[in-house]
Amino acid sequence: MRRKIVAGNWKMNMDLAQTESLIDELTRNMPETVADVMIAPTFTSLYRAFQLLRTHKIEVIGQNMHYEDNGAFTGEISAGMLKSVGVNTVILGHSERRAYFGETDEMLAKKVDTAMKHEMEIVFCFGEELEDRKSGNHFQVVESQLKNALFHFPESAWKNIILAYEPVWAIGTGETASPEQAQEMHKFIRETLAAAYSEELANGISILYGGSVKPGNAGEIFSKPDVDGGLIGGAALKAEDFIAIAKSF
Ligand code: 13P
């Protein structure tokens, strides 16, 4: 059985006090779930979050990191820094990083290499823009995003990779991909992996869906055979909603 995962990407939300309070609500109310639960608070709250969740099964993960190990990169955070505060998993390739901070497939290939070198787990995000879908290029775009950043890895490296398909047009817009659209793309991703590597690898990889997942639609999306969970933005900021989503399997 593939690992099921529900991860909350808090983006640039929640200061330290708000982080403490949301984690308090989550730890008090989160039941045992089929899915592994992760949260990605902002950098300044990571260490506190790690301390608060040290004995809890909710994992604290990073939202981003630089590909260099250290040096003159003002404002950046390295893999070693994340690991030093207890973070072993990092989100890379989020569409907001690509769109607003100029992250390219080439930069992402370097970032995933660095994460791998540090034996970190990677939640790798990718997904097409609205124009790509309208012009019918969405499969090609997704395939090239995956190939350019990840296909240089040998099969053995993939045990540290979780994929997160996030169609850009569905992020923060309230417009979710239909469960059928999500399933169609996730199946395509698995077929692409099977062709490039093996059926075994393709069937073992967890592929999350992200983009306006809410308590009201999570159950149906997660019920699709190739959808292994979700990367949740807005709805991860309310304990009640995030818990409802984590319970949706
Ligand atoms: P929303 O759930 O707010 O659409 O965000 C999805 C996302 O970008 C998670 O990384």
Side-chain angles (χ1 to χ4, degrees):
M1 247 266 277
R2 277 193 296 271
R3 187 177 171 205
K4 307 292 181 199
I5 297 164
V6 171
N9 175 9
W10 291 9
K11 309 191 179 183
M12 197 173 75
N13 295 295
M14 301 280 151
D15 63 17
L16 187 58
Q18 291 167 325
T19 298
E20 288 174 338
S21 137
L22 181 49
I23 287 177
D24 180 54
E25 275 190 83
L26 291 176
T27 48
R28 278 190 291 113
N29 301 312
M30 182 73 76
E32 278 296 312
T33 50
V34 174
D36 289 347
V37 179
M38 304 173 173
I39 56 167
T42 193
F43 289 134
T44 48
S45 295
L46 279 180
Y47 185 50
R48 184 67 185 132
F50 170 73
Q51 287 177 317
L52 291 171
L53 291 168
R54 204 186 280 266
T55 58
H56 199 280
K57 78 181 204 67
I58 297 176
E59 184 184 351
V60 179
I61 71 173
Q63 294 182 16
N64 179 36
M65 57 168 232
H66 199 269
Y67 50 79
E68 293 291 349
D69 282 340
N70 47 51
F73 299 100
T74 301
E76 291 292 326
I77 300 277
S78 71
M81 290 167 191
L82 288 177
K83 291 194 83 170
S84 74
V85 296
V87 171
N88 290 305
T89 302
V90 64
I91 298 172
L92 294 175
H94 194 280
S95 65
E96 288 150 18
R97 299 293 320 168
R98 295 176 192 256
Y100 308 141
F101 303 98
E103 292 196 7
T104 59
D105 287 352
E106 292 67 36
M107 284 164 75
L108 291 168
K110 290 197 212 172
K111 289 190 179 205
V112 294
D113 282 348
T114 301
M116 252 339 142
K117 185 179 85 182
H118 287 270
E119 297 179 345
M120 295 182 80
E121 187 163 62
I122 298 159
V123 178
F124 186 79
C125 304
F126 54 94
E128 83 283 1
E129 304 205 13
L130 187 57
E131 301 79 68
D132 304 320
R133 185 160 278 267
K134 279 189 176 154
S135 61
N137 281 339
H138 46 300
F139 293 114
Q140 260 167 287
V141 168
V142 160
E143 185 171 354
S144 77
Q145 287 173 330
L146 290 174
K147 276 197 173 143
N148 293 341
L150 298 175
F151 280 20
H152 59 288
F153 284 129
E155 184 153 346
S156 59
W158 281 77
K159 64 179 189 311
N160 289 333
I161 298 176
I162 296 160
L163 297 178
Y165 168 59
E166 299 204 305
V168 177
W169 48 273
I171 295 178
T173 57
E175 187 180 347
T176 324
S178 68
E180 291 70 31
Q181 284 172 320
Q183 167 58 24
E184 185 186 35
M185 183 59 85
H186 285 219
K187 184 163 175 283
F188 169 77
I189 294 162
R190 246 181 254 293
E191 285 164 0
T192 305
L193 288 171
Y197 291 92
S198 68
E199 288 282 343
E200 193 188 350
L201 182 144
N203 290 329
I205 289 283
S206 296
I207 309 177
L208 316 184
Y209 166 79
S212 299
V213 177
K214 304 272 179 290
N217 59 26
E220 203 186 343
I221 297 172
F222 297 169
S223 71
K224 293 294 172 190
D226 288 302
V227 179
D228 304 307
L231 186 55
I232 320 299
L237 301 174
K238 267 184 73 185
E240 193 187 338
D241 287 354
F242 189 58
I243 290 168
I245 292 169
K247 282 171 31 183
S248 308
F249 281 96

